[in-house]
Amino acid sequence: MAFDIEMIKKLYTEMPAKVNAARTALGRPLTLSEKILFSHLHSDQPLSSFERGKHYVDFAPDRVAMQDATAQMALLQFMQAGRPKVAVPSTVHCDHLITAKVEAKQDLQVANTESKEVYDFLASVSNKYGIGFWKPGAGIIHQVVLENYAFPGGMMIGTDSHTVNAGGLGMIAIGVGGADACDVMAGLPWELKWPKLIGIKLTGKLSGWTAPKDVILKVAGILTVKGGTGAIVEYFGEGATSMSCTGKGTICNMGAEIGATTSTFGYDASMSRYLTATGRADIATAADAVKDYLTADPEVYANPSQYFDEVIELDLSTLEPHLNGPFTPDLATPISKMKEVAAANGWPTKVEVGLIGSCTNSSYEDISRAVSLAKQLDAKGLKLAAEFKITPGSEQVRYTIARDGFLEVFQSVGADVFANACGPCIGMWDRVGAEKKEKNTIVHSFNRNFAKRADGNPNTYAFVASPELVTALAIAGDLTFNPITDTLTNDKGEQVKLDEPTGWELPVRGYAVEDAGYQAPAADGSGVSIAVDPASKRLQLLDPFAAWDGNDLKSLKLLIKAKGKCTTDHISMAGPWLKFRGHLDNISNNMLIGAVNFYNEKTDTIKNQLTGEYGPVPATQRAYKAAGIGTIVVGDENYGEGSSREHAAMEPRHLGVRVVLTKSFARIHETNLKKQGMLALTFNDKSDYDKIQEDDSVDVVGLTSFTPGTPLTLVFHHADGSQDTVVANHTYNQQQIDWFKAGAALNIIRKQVAGA
Ligand code: MIC
Ligand code: SF4
């Protein structure tokens, strides 16, 4: 039986009336996204015809999921909120803190020792507050959610940008910072700007070497890393229904890479099959009874341009396998063009390592298709030319693929099987030789490939592809190998071709697992106490941030003007720093160390205006803090792209940065900054970015009359005595302005609870 089935049945019972009321209010057919949004309006939110991209609307999500690296901060905040229990079903998943080094069992043991303090903390907080706990080794949050918690028509939030993966099972699932999760767990409404809608019509059918991954790799190439910002992407058409549910998950997962709020698919037979195979036939039966409400009205898909803000059509029958990268997930190259593109760009073409798995691509189908290639090696007289690593997404998948002999095949060709965890996807990969910083190429089936992300080496060129293409490239050892047309030389000197990959959507003998790794919370957790050692290097209780003092901000110093791409990996690196995710002061020592200083093109080398000397960003900021001087960070386009980690907002807040002024923001990061009481502003005129000089002092004018819709003014005083006045836009609504004034959103919740 499914978890929380009563909650799901209640939602389905109420959904028709809510959707019908919304259809009447709008006077037109509804998209699936709208149906789910309207049926999750918070009870205090009146129904209205909300303007896309404009109105902030309050929602009541059905559930919350958190992974260990972000849960620490989310739960440290929740503990301050003063509630006895979470208000909606919530779960914690231990997946980010396991280093991939030798193989699964050994690596897991090391993590259990190294991160014991954090795991114990998360387990006891979960136990106390009624949160389901998934132990280290249980799997990656998004796979475990897809297998156990996602359901068609539901709405969830999660403290990880790839929460959107659950769109594969027809949800609206959205990545958020911990403070948002804290609100929902505390029973407060969750606010989102009513999204724009992008429709993607999939015609034709996937075949041969092309996989669901190629759909999103192609879409990322079209829309770029910011093309989905503020929008829900809704997929439909015969190509959508003919695809597996887990394949849909892959497509939704990487919607995070185009900045989309989320992506989703209408309920169909593939979802019903997946629900049944994962032991949730009860949800499938309940969903069947309201199936018209779990997809768009037929008029919408018949005439999409009338209902979506943008429509893209893709023919799956002609779609080619793609490789996206290096250093950004939207640089899409069809495999047939890789030879010329790599040569033109000077990309190293020898593939050193192929890695499959991650939250994006570790389904039974993915693994079975990859294994169909590995199986050919022996018969064709071939060997792997590159190293090959597998990270299964969940214990259920791992157990099932072990039972079905797949792991044995991988091991027989020399592959390593890592723990069911994020591992190499997030820099938790103890890669031999990475410290030498040699230029090299890897291919993986993960979702992100920002600089240094997998192994910490800035010279690793990482390309993203489907698991089957990654496997083929690991066999060939060559980035330009096109398995559709090219041959390989075998041990007899003959030219051989790989046969097309084949696999199974779902395990023929069903999924199986011995211990899935779940720990239910205590029925009454009031007696559970939570201890945090004040001397701990990994956990630190939070002190509330100070409220605004009521004055305009004067004489802030420019901390850094970041040049080009500045993702959350650049602002708060993961990998070796993940161990400090529960300790705000310690993790603040990585603040902006990956951002490129506009003035010298270096990372982590900025001018301290007090001494005139150049030094690391965190130390320089600490010097300003010690001197009681606030600072401003200036950024480029899509600042804060990537992850949901609110550390990227809390660190600057903690160290005394007051303003982040950019050409544009990624959605989650902008909200995180607001939640933590920072000023997140954008240039009204993007060319004003060029006016900012290295020795600038800055005044922020207009805060005493800070109002929604009215820009603020920033005066930049240059070293030569001249000044520039810059108009800075903002998207704060009244409530968000109150967060700024209170010092952080949490300060308001705390007051509300104390007053209740
Ligand atoms: C990521 O893929 O970047 C992460 C690591 O999963 C992050 C969350 C985190 O930083 O803890 C994300 O995607 O939100
Ligand atoms: Fe983990 Fe990578 Fe997925 Fe993030 S993208 S949740 S690090 S597997």
Side-chain angles (χ1 to χ4, degrees):
M1 193 177 78
F3 284 96
D4 308 305
I5 184 74
E6 292 313 317
M7 175 265 283
I8 297 170
K9 284 188 175 158
K10 179 166 180 285
L11 179 85
Y12 287 168
T13 308
E14 293 171 359
M15 206 167 178
K18 290 183 178 176
V19 169
N20 294 341
R23 195 188 287 110
T24 308
L26 269 67
R28 61 162 174 81
L30 298 176
T31 62
L32 165 66
S33 309
E34 288 166 321
K35 290 184 184 180
I36 304 179
L37 292 173
F38 278 114
S39 48
H40 286 85
L41 293 183
H42 190 267
S43 51
D44 292 340
Q45 173 69 61
L47 172 63
S48 153
S49 169
F50 305 109
E51 199 176 326
R52 296 179 189 174
K54 188 134 191 228
H55 286 140
Y56 282 100
V57 178
D58 281 344
F59 293 97
D62 300 312
R63 58 182 319 121
V64 174
M66 293 161 279
Q67 42 88 342
D68 50 4
T70 49
Q72 296 170 64
M73 212 39 97
L75 293 173
L76 283 164
Q77 294 178 81
F78 181 73
M79 284 161 63
Q80 290 198 340
R83 309 262 168 165
K85 216 175 163 68
V86 288
V88 300
S90 304
T91 48
V92 163
H93 304 260
C94 295
D95 53 1
H96 278 62
L97 303 176
I98 304 166
T99 304
K101 187 173 182 182
V102 190
E103 59 79 46
K105 252 208 189 102
Q106 227 169 305
D107 293 350
L108 184 58
Q109 243 167 27
V110 173
N112 271 322
T113 313
E114 257 176 19
S115 292
K116 182 171 185 325
E117 184 187 3
V118 170
Y119 293 147
D120 287 350
F121 169 76
L122 293 173
S124 55
V125 177
S126 300
N127 201 19
K128 183 173 181 65
Y129 295 108
I131 299 169
F133 181 72
W134 290 81
K135 292 184 259 186
I140 307 172
I141 175 169
H142 311 304
Q143 284 305 314
V144 175
V145 165
L146 196 71
E147 287 172 8
N148 296 279
Y149 298 115
F151 64 97
M155 179 191 241
M156 69 178 283
I157 59 162
T159 61
D160 191 283
S161 63
H162 294 106
T163 303
V164 293
N165 188 70
L169 206 33
M171 276 196 122
I172 293 282
I174 302 182
V176 297
D180 283 41
C182 180
D183 286 356
V184 175
M185 292 189 294
L188 299 175
W190 178 68
E191 175 192 81
L192 178 75
K193 212 182 252 178
W194 194 262
K196 288 180 275 169
L197 298 177
I198 299 175
I200 301 192
K201 181 173 181 179
L202 303 177
T203 60
K205 199 168 185 276
L206 292 170
S207 63
W209 283 92
T210 311
K213 180 80 154 204
D214 298 304
V215 174
I216 185 63
L217 294 180
K218 172 81 184 170
V219 168
I222 298 170
L223 286 174
T224 79
V225 288
K226 56 189 292 245
T229 308
I232 295 183
V233 182
E234 186 170 322
Y235 291 87
F236 59 95
E238 54 175 359
T241 43
S242 64
M243 199 185 284
S244 67
C245 174
T246 51
K248 294 178 172 81
T250 297
I251 293 174
C252 293
N253 180 297
M254 271 195 76
E257 274 51 67
I258 53 167
T261 302
T262 192
S263 311
T264 195
F265 284 82
Y267 179 60
D268 66 14
S270 75
M271 295 185 191
S272 168
R273 286 195 297 274
Y274 183 71
L275 283 167
T276 306
T278 50
R280 294 172 291 167
D282 45 355
I283 300 186
T285 309
D288 286 337
V290 288
K291 64 180 188 332
D292 292 347
Y293 294 92
L294 302 174
T295 189
D297 290 334
E299 298 88 333
V300 171
Y301 293 158
N303 204 348
S305 55
Q306 221 174 302
Y307 303 96
F308 293 98
D309 300 286
E310 185 179 349
V311 178
I312 295 171
E313 197 168 321
L314 276 188
D315 178 6
L316 302 191
S317 304
T318 57
L319 182 67
E320 250 197 84
H322 277 65
L323 272 166
N324 285 24
F327 306 118
T328 185
D330 59 349
L331 189 53
T333 308
I335 188 68
S336 62
K337 297 271 170 343
M338 192 40 106
K339 240 173 230 130
E340 32 180 308
V341 176
N345 288 286
W347 296 335
T349 54
K350 176 171 184 292
V351 172
E352 305 285 344
V353 191
L355 304 103
I356 63 169
S358 91
C359 66
T360 327
N361 271 113
S362 54
S363 65
Y364 188 88
E365 182 178 44
D366 287 335
I367 305 288
S368 65
R369 284 172 63 85
V371 105
S372 75
L373 299 170
K375 270 187 189 159
Q376 296 175 33
L377 294 187
D378 199 31
K380 294 191 193 275
L382 293 166
K383 280 207 165 54
L384 282 175
E387 288 175 45
F388 193 47
K389 321 271 181 198
I390 294 120
T391 44
S394 73
E395 175 58 11
Q396 177 160 260
V397 163
R398 191 211 60 81
Y399 189 96
T400 310
I401 60 176
R403 180 202 63 192
D404 293 351
F406 297 170
L407 288 185
E408 219 171 282
V409 176
F410 285 135
Q411 275 152 345
S412 74
V413 298
D416 296 314
V417 181
F418 290 144
N420 313 318
C422 301
C425 176
I426 190 56
M428 298 297 275
W429 180 22
D430 198 341
R431 183 179 178 197
V432 179
E435 69 288 348
K436 291 189 216 139
K437 302 215 162 90
E438 282 162 353
K439 193 166 166 178
N440 77 102
T441 287
I442 63 172
V443 286
H444 62 60
S445 72
F446 312 159
N447 40 38
R448 295 198 170 135
N449 54 354
F450 304 138
K452 295 194 195 175
R453 183 171 167 101
D455 61 1
N457 174 1
N459 301 316
T460 292
Y461 286 58
F463 294 83
V464 183
S466 67
E468 35 279 65
L469 187 59
V470 168
T471 311
L473 298 186
I475 294 170
D478 179 358
L479 189 70
T480 67
F481 173 70
N482 180 355
I484 302 170
T485 51
D486 297 350
T487 54
L488 295 164
T489 311
N490 73 3
D491 54 5
K492 296 194 197 74
E494 301 155 351
Q495 294 302 301
V496 288
K497 252 187 109 185
L498 290 173
D499 301 329
E500 285 177 355
T502 54
W504 291 270
E505 175 186 297
L506 294 164
V508 180
R509 293 161 59 198
Y511 285 104
V513 69
E514 237 163 43
D515 175 8
Y518 176 69
Q519 197 169 290
D524 174 8
S526 57
V528 179
S529 66
I530 293 150
V532 172
D533 178 358
S536 170
K537 290 194 168 48
R538 300 204 48 184
L539 294 169
Q540 181 187 40
L541 294 175
L542 291 171
D543 285 327
F545 293 129
W548 176 54
D549 68 5
N551 298 310
D552 278 340
L553 302 175
K554 293 272 187 234
S555 305
L556 305 179
K557 297 289 184 201
L558 175 74
L559 180 68
I560 183 171
K561 172 160 143 178
K563 185 175 175 189
K565 207 172 188 64
C566 192
T567 71
T568 43
D569 281 359
H570 298 76
I571 306 170
S572 175
M573 194 192 176
W577 290 90
L578 282 176
K579 57 176 168 296
F580 296 123
R581 285 292 186 85
H583 196 294
L584 182 54
D585 196 53
N586 282 345
I587 196 154
S588 295
N589 290 329
N590 78 358
M591 187 186 79
L592 283 158
I593 59 175
V596 177
N597 178 1
F598 179 88
Y599 304 104
N600 59 11
E601 309 256 329
K602 291 186 182 161
T603 54
D604 206 21
T605 315
I606 56 164
K607 187 171 182 179
N608 177 339
Q609 294 194 36
L610 303 176
T611 61
E613 281 170 13
Y614 285 80
V617 184
T620 309
Q621 178 57 35
R622 284 190 192 272
Y624 287 127
K625 185 180 185 184
I629 297 170
T631 59
I632 175 171
V633 168
V634 171
D636 216 312
E637 293 282 8
N638 209 23
Y639 183 89
E641 170 187 341
S643 147
S644 68
R645 63 191 76 144
E646 64 195 327
H647 305 76
M650 293 181 92
E651 294 173 26
R653 179 74 175 97
H654 171 64
L655 292 184
V657 178
R658 307 299 298 269
V659 185
V660 181
L661 171 66
T662 67
K663 291 187 187 168
S664 61
F665 281 105
R667 175 189 62 87
I668 307 178
H669 186 59
E670 184 181 17
T671 308
N672 286 346
L673 287 167
K674 290 176 176 178
K675 283 252 153 170
Q676 301 300 337
M678 299 273 294
L679 282 177
L681 309 175
T682 51
F683 290 101
N684 181 46
D685 177 355
K686 289 186 181 177
S687 67
D688 282 351
Y689 173 89
D690 302 323
K691 294 183 179 157
I692 316 286
Q693 298 176 18
E694 194 171 22
D695 289 307
D696 282 354
S697 288
V698 188
D699 300 332
V700 182
V701 188
L703 284 176
T704 46
S705 53
F706 193 5
T707 349
T710 311
L712 293 168
T713 303
L714 271 65
V715 184
F716 286 82
H717 303 276
H718 308 306
D720 64 2
S722 66
Q723 64 181 54
D724 274 301
T725 299
V726 165
V727 177
N729 295 333
H730 69 81
T731 58
Y732 287 71
N733 61 18
Q734 190 51 51
Q735 168 168 283
Q736 296 166 342
I737 291 175
D738 292 342
W739 298 343
F740 166 73
K741 290 186 174 164
L746 188 57
N747 292 348
I748 296 181
I749 309 184
R750 207 188 289 106
K751 256 190 237 151
Q752 284 169 348
V753 173

